[in-house]
Each structure stands twice: as structure tokens, then as C-alpha cells.
Amino acid sequence: NKKGFIFDLDGVIVDTAQYHYLAWKELADSLGISFSEVENEQLKGVSRIRSLEKILEMGNMTLAQDEFDRLITNKNADYLSYVEGMTREEILADVPRVLRFLSENGQRLALGSASKNARTILGKVGLMDQFDTIVDGTQVSKAKPDPEVFIRAAKELHVPAERCIVFEDALAGIQAANNAGMLSIGIGDPTVLREAAFVFSDFTKISNEFLNELIQA
Ligand code: B16
Ligand code: MG
């Protein structure tokens, strides 16, 4: 009677959203499209291609396919230059405690991320071995809020969806978890994540007692 605990990466385990923002901002600036952290919120959890489409919509712009592809490649190189400098220090507060508590209590752990860079990032911060399975943007075709990434993670954990709990920082990710029939836990702002079953500002607010209740429920 194990439960499956599925963690998003960007914004849950590490704060790579700040690096995505810097890289997207540089791209938007080069196109003369105004882009702030408010607009960046709409890109969280959203795929790379869909993110550029959204930025172009913000600027009422369209691009030829080859230019679109060139910008995406540049953005990713730019983003990876920030990722390159990442260390364990960038693991968000109390994430190691929560991962340890759950695995010491025999629970199944998965990463469920839209990012094609997920394995690179986990390697950088030394968390590659903490998960029973990793499902990332290289393995799924439908972006959150489609539940594909979480359903695949549950399959790989051999835990039915209704026994899975998802930690997410993005509205699209909370919707994906809900669409998968899983319990959604928002990490961040309750006004943004209002569709989540529970919301905590960060993992320091999630006690071992609460985790125990999730395990027993
Ligand atoms: P990449 P998550 C998502 O990761 C990010 O939140 C989103 O901003 C990004 O566009 C997406 O990954 C794709 O990332 O360009 O690295 O493939 O939150 O699902 O872990
Ligand atoms: Mg995220």
C-alpha cells in the first residue's frame, strides 16, 4: 500500500524559473516585446515551444519557422549557461528532508517535469539517485495541463493514479495533476494555485506529520 509522490522540477526542487526568465527576457528584448516577471508566470510548467508561441502572442508577432527554431536554440543555450553554474546549494529549502522522509518510509518517488533539461539539472544538484523514476520533456508529447507526464510517472512507479500525490508550482501543473485524478499540492502562491487541494509557500511549511497523513490516507 505504497503511495506515489511525484515532484515537478522547476519551481519545486530548484528555482530554475529565474534562469528561464533571464533567457526569455533576453529573447523578448531582442524582438522588442515587453516581458516582465508577471508575463513569465504564464510560462511556468509550459513547454519550450509553447512558451515562445506565448511570447510572440504577447508582442502580436509571428516568425518564419527557421527563425522560430533559431531563437529556441539560442534561448536554450543561454538558459544552459546559467544551469552550468548550479550546485547543491540551489536545492530549495527542506526538499532533501521531504525526499528522505518519504523514501525512509517506503514510499515511491518520481520526478515529473516538462523540461528537456531535467536530467542535466538533477545531475548538477546531485539529486539523480533520489527518484525511483524520472519522466521529463524528452519522454512526453503533450504539455501540462495534459496529464500525460504524471500518468506516465505513476505507471513507472506501479502506483495507481488515485494513490499519487503531485507537488507543483505552476497552475498548468496543478491542472495536469487534477486531470490525472491525483492529489495536487501547490508550492507557491495560493491565489495563483487556487485549484490545488493544498497550497504551501515552500517545503519548510510541510511537516513530517502532514507527510505521514498523506501516506496513511
Ligand atoms: P526546457 P517543470 C518546465 O519545467 C518549466 O516550468 C517551464 O518554464 C519550461 O518552459 C519547461 O519546463 C520546458 O523546459 O526548456 O528546459 O525543456 O516546471 O515542468 O519542471
Ligand atoms: Mg514547475
Side-chain angles (χ1 to χ4, degrees):
N1 56 350
K2 290 177 178 177
K3 291 261 173 99
F5 288 84
I6 307 176
F7 293 79
D8 174 52
L9 178 64
D10 292 336
V12 168
I13 305 244
V14 286
D15 182 19
T16 36
Q18 53 171 327
Y19 303 136
H20 278 297
Y21 172 65
L22 291 172
W24 285 129
K25 171 106 183 103
E26 188 153 314
L27 180 154
D29 283 350
S30 77
L31 296 171
I33 297 172
S34 94
F35 183 74
S36 70
E37 302 212 36
V38 178
E39 280 90 32
N40 189 56
E41 195 61 40
Q42 298 176 39
L43 308 186
K44 290 188 179 172
V46 171
S47 75
R48 207 180 284 182
I49 288 177
R50 189 68 199 112
S51 294
L52 180 50
E53 286 170 356
K54 281 183 178 251
I55 290 173
L56 293 174
E57 283 165 20
M58 290 167 198
N60 277 314
M61 258 179 103
T62 53
L63 291 176
Q65 189 63 47
D66 58 341
E67 182 63 359
F68 188 100
D69 295 346
R70 194 185 65 80
L71 288 178
I72 285 268
T73 305
N74 272 351
K75 182 269 171 181
N76 195 52
D78 205 13
Y79 173 66
L80 284 175
S81 71
Y82 296 114
V83 166
E84 187 52 41
M86 287 182 81
T87 65
R88 305 191 72 90
E89 312 279 290
E90 287 183 60
I91 300 172
L92 291 173
D94 267 19
V95 166
R97 190 242 326 148
V98 169
L99 294 175
R100 206 180 322 117
F101 182 85
L102 293 171
S103 43
E104 282 174 2
N105 282 279
Q107 303 305 299
R108 307 276 292 154
L109 304 188
L111 189 90
S113 168
S115 175
K116 293 186 165 149
N117 298 307
R119 284 179 165 79
T120 307
I121 295 165
L122 286 179
K124 276 276 157 199
V125 301
L127 285 179
M128 232 6 209
D129 300 329
Q130 306 305 305
F131 299 94
D132 296 298
T133 191
I134 295 170
V135 181
D136 67 20
T138 65
Q139 294 156 289
V140 293
S141 55
K142 295 182 221 114
K144 301 168 185 175
D146 188 283
E148 184 183 11
V149 59
F150 296 142
I151 293 197
R152 179 160 174 160
K155 278 215 178 83
E156 293 189 7
L157 290 179
H158 305 290
V159 176
E162 62 275 15
R163 295 184 58 79
C164 288
I165 295 111
V166 175
F167 295 97
E168 255 291 348
D169 70 309
L171 178 59
I174 293 293
Q175 291 168 335
N178 294 342
N179 288 338
M182 300 176 180
L183 184 78
S184 56
I185 302 190
I187 301 294
D189 181 346
T191 60
V192 176
L193 305 174
R194 61 196 175 282
E195 293 174 36
F198 299 93
V199 181
F200 297 92
S201 54
D202 57 56
F203 282 100
T204 67
K205 305 290 189 310
I206 302 186
S207 66
N208 289 350
E209 289 68 33
F210 178 74
L211 294 174
N212 232 337
E213 282 168 28
L214 294 175
I215 294 171
Q216 308 298 334

